[in-house]
Amino acid sequence: MTTDLSSVERRARIHAALGDPARLAIVDTLVLGDASPGEIARALDLPTNLVAHHVNVLHGAGLLVRVRSEGDRRRTYLRLEPDALASLAAPVLAQVPRVVFVCTHNSARSQLAAAIWTDRAGIPAASAGTHPAARVHPRAVAVARRHGLRINATGTAHVADVVHDTDLVVAVCDNAHEDLTQGVRPRLHWAVPAPADTDAAFEATFAELAGRIDRLAPVVEPAR
């Protein structure tokens, strides 16, 4: 039997990076959604300089990447690399009656996420926008159709008319996550970039949302 030394070394770096309780807590925070270093510092009650150190170690081990916010380019979000986390279990989210996906215009990402979730999970889903457009983007309707899903082209809505206190709210764009600071507050944030106006870009967005939903769905337990 031969051993892939590079694979063993990579796994060793990952295990070493996760050997610190604070770094493991950061990874737990990011398993299901993205966050800025400042949000992590507040959530874990850690000094920002210590968070920066731990983030650098996790980044060096290939566990996370840094992405610029589409809303405020001064802000950076941290996103875990799914392949590096294949063996890590996500925390269970219990008593969820419905999942609501939110983006700015409710015209592409949130609509696709709700359609994918409805197709793959057993808990009801809805979508909404902070500044909803009049219609769903035609390419979002088209990419959903290519995957056997249906989206109502005129079915956009505002968060105030959709979200209930008991919903699991997932912000699928940076602007929505940053806008929703009072009342409706996303429990999870996915920093999914706005797709360019091409079929290939919408297919890539569909694939990213589908991958995230496949990781989230198994750890969401329905309300009884």
Side-chain angles (χ1 to χ4, degrees), residues 59-208:
H59 181 267
L63 279 162
L64 56 79
V65 295
R66 298 178 175 93
V67 292
R68 287 289 181 186
S69 167
E70 287 186 315
D72 183 347
R73 300 296 294 176
R74 297 168 298 178
R75 189 188 299 258
T76 298
Y77 289 114
L78 305 173
R79 181 176 67 201
L80 290 182
E81 289 284 23
D83 291 344
L85 295 172
S87 63
L88 297 182
V92 173
L93 304 179
Q95 297 296 308
V96 176
R98 188 176 66 156
V99 179
V100 180
F101 298 94
V102 178
C103 66
T104 303
H105 300 304
N106 192 213
S107 63
R109 288 166 285 186
S110 58
Q111 293 277 352
L112 289 170
I116 296 167
W117 180 274
T118 299
D119 182 61
R120 302 187 181 190
I123 297 173
S127 69
T130 55
H131 300 87
R135 298 178 62 84
V136 178
H137 196 293
R139 292 193 191 276
V141 176
V143 72
R145 186 183 300 118
R146 287 195 293 273
H147 290 271
L149 308 178
R150 296 187 63 183
I151 293 178
N152 178 1
T154 60
T156 61
H158 192 277
V159 289
D161 299 322
V162 174
V163 176
H164 303 148
D165 291 341
T166 55
D167 290 331
L168 170 61
V169 179
V170 182
V172 294
C173 83
D174 297 339
N175 281 307
H177 174 66
E178 293 163 13
D179 285 347
L180 296 172
T181 57
Q182 296 180 351
V184 177
R185 187 75 184 109
R187 182 163 180 185
L188 297 176
H189 167 218
W190 296 348
V192 180
D197 195 8
T198 67
D199 287 343
F202 273 79
E203 285 287 354
T205 296
F206 185 98
E208 179 169 353

Side-chain angles (χ1 to χ4, degrees), residues 17 20-23 26 46 49-60 64:
D20 183 279
R23 289 198 285 273
I26 291 171
L46 291 172
N49 62 333
L50 187 56
V51 169
H53 164 71
H54 289 314
V55 165
N56 285 335
V57 174
L58 293 169
H59 181 267
L64 56 79

